[in-house]
Amino acid sequence: MKLQEQWIVGFVDGEGCFHVGISKHPDMRVGHQVLPEFTVVQHKRDVQILHALKAYFGCGVVRSNHDDRMAFRVRGQDNLLRRIVPFFMEHPLKSGKRLDFLKFRRVLLMMESGDHLTADGLEKIRRLAAQMNRGRSR
Amino acid sequence: MKLQEQWIVGFVDGEGCFHVGISKHPDMRVGHQVLPEFTVVQHKRDVQILHALKAYFGCGVVRSNHDDRMAFRVRGQDNLLRRIVPFFMEHPLKSGKRLDFLKFRRVLLMMESGDHLTADGLEKIRRLAAQMNRGRSR
């Protein structure tokens, strides 16, 4: 399945999610790990779309999610900063999800500078993460 | 907001719904009314997308839905057959929703021939309608 750029933007405006998880991690200097991820979830009957997204972006994994649902998931600063972020900078989202994306990008740029390894930086990232994905059904 | 064709296809692959409602209607000869509709539901913060879809297709209404959600809804055989169906014939959906769309189109063509006004035709439409939107979360 060949995907066109604007189709991807429309589909992600509908089904995509930019999320920054923060979890306790005793091995990290600040005691927490920051885990940004981009996901698209679909019913398993449309799993070929998730594989097409994975092929298009050249990164990420397709895994089962809850129940009959599958997810395309991209983690890792390098994949996110070099492949996902540039795509959505070049092809802007049209929905309010664009604001989530811009916060997501800001977190990634902060992480690139190592801000997530300081208590101050982690607090800033925590505030940005809390502002994301509000008023959404998922 | 200017929408590109492929963006619309991607967004509808994610968020669109082709639905055929059948309700009791004592005034109709066969006792039932067939009500096909195309809808796209969004959180109210993205209502401008629904208005852009309405402007693009030149038909339909934007109305409030449940809770904080709004819907772009197109009803009426003429709007559906002359505006919605030709768009998705020219720009095919990529998800399993394409199968729903094709059944939806078949119901509309049957209605154009007046099949929904006979008991046999109504039964066929009922069977098609029951096969639509399976395995979906909404």
Side-chain angles (χ1 to χ4, degrees):
Chain A
M1 184 188 299
K2 176 109 175 58
L3 303 181
Q4 286 146 286
E5 281 75 10
Q6 279 302 309
W7 184 92
I8 294 174
V9 177
F11 196 66
V12 169
D13 263 320
E15 304 283 279
C17 181
F18 300 94
H19 179 256
V20 175
I22 299 173
S23 56
K24 284 197 181 178
H25 200 297
D27 295 348
M28 306 287 285
R29 215 187 326 163
V30 290
H32 287 81
Q33 187 179 28
V34 179
L35 189 70
E37 62 178 17
F38 168 58
T39 51
V40 181
V41 174
Q42 279 300 282
H43 188 273
K44 67 181 178 188
R45 80 169 176 176
D46 284 321
V47 69
Q48 83 283 6
I49 286 183
L50 303 182
H51 285 292
L53 286 170
K54 180 183 166 188
Y56 182 91
F57 286 111
C59 60
V61 294
V62 174
R63 288 279 186 276
S64 62
N65 204 263
H66 301 294
D67 300 329
D68 284 347
R69 303 183 84 73
M70 304 285 291
F72 166 59
R73 189 185 69 204
V74 182
R75 290 180 176 172
Q77 286 172 249
D78 204 58
N79 287 334
L80 293 167
L81 264 179
R82 312 290 163 228
R83 294 169 186 264
I84 303 300
V85 166
F87 177 87
F88 291 105
M89 289 304 284
E90 192 177 345
H91 308 285
L93 293 156
K94 292 182 188 294
S95 72
K97 221 165 267 185
R98 174 155 173 79
L99 300 179
D100 292 339
F101 164 73
L102 290 173
K103 293 192 181 88
F104 184 78
R105 174 174 174 264
R106 208 166 135 205
V107 168
L108 284 163
L109 293 175
M110 288 176 71
M111 291 176 78
E112 205 180 27
S113 310
D115 292 3
H116 60 306
L117 304 175
T118 69
D120 261 15
L122 185 67
E123 189 47 40
K124 275 182 200 154
I125 289 173
R126 197 189 296 280
R127 279 200 297 269
L128 281 168
Q131 292 163 18
M132 293 170 67
N133 306 306
R134 283 178 171 184
R136 308 211 151 271
S137 59
R138 70 198 71 153
Chain B
M1 186 189 299
K2 176 108 176 60
L3 303 181
Q4 286 146 285
E5 280 76 8
Q6 280 301 311
W7 184 91
I8 294 174
V9 177
F11 197 67
V12 169
D13 263 320
E15 304 283 282
C17 181
F18 300 94
H19 179 256
V20 175
I22 298 173
S23 55
K24 285 198 179 174
H25 199 297
D27 296 348
M28 307 286 286
R29 212 183 335 158
V30 289
H32 287 81
Q33 186 179 28
V34 178
L35 188 70
E37 62 179 16
F38 168 58
T39 50
V40 181
V41 174
Q42 279 300 283
H43 187 272
K44 65 181 179 186
R45 79 169 179 176
D46 284 321
V47 69
Q48 82 283 5
I49 285 183
L50 303 181
H51 285 292
L53 286 168
K54 181 184 165 188
Y56 182 90
F57 286 111
C59 61
V61 293
V62 175
R63 289 280 186 276
S64 61
N65 204 264
H66 300 295
D67 301 327
D68 284 347
R69 301 182 86 73
M70 305 285 290
F72 166 57
R73 189 185 71 203
V74 182
R75 290 180 175 170
Q77 286 172 249
D78 203 59
N79 287 335
L80 293 167
L81 264 178
R82 311 292 163 227
R83 295 170 185 264
I84 303 300
V85 166
F87 177 87
F88 291 106
M89 290 304 284
E90 193 177 343
H91 308 286
L93 293 157
K94 292 180 188 292
S95 72
K97 221 165 268 187
R98 175 155 172 78
L99 300 178
D100 292 337
F101 164 72
L102 291 171
K103 294 192 179 86
F104 184 78
R105 173 175 175 264
R106 208 166 135 204
V107 169
L108 283 164
L109 293 174
M110 289 176 72
M111 291 177 77
E112 204 180 27
S113 309
D115 292 2
H116 60 305
L117 303 175
T118 70
D120 261 14
L122 185 68
E123 189 47 39
K124 274 180 200 154
I125 289 172
R126 198 190 295 281
R127 279 200 296 270
L128 282 169
Q131 290 163 18
M132 294 169 66
N133 306 306
R134 283 180 169 181
R136 307 208 152 274
S137 58
R138 69 196 68 160

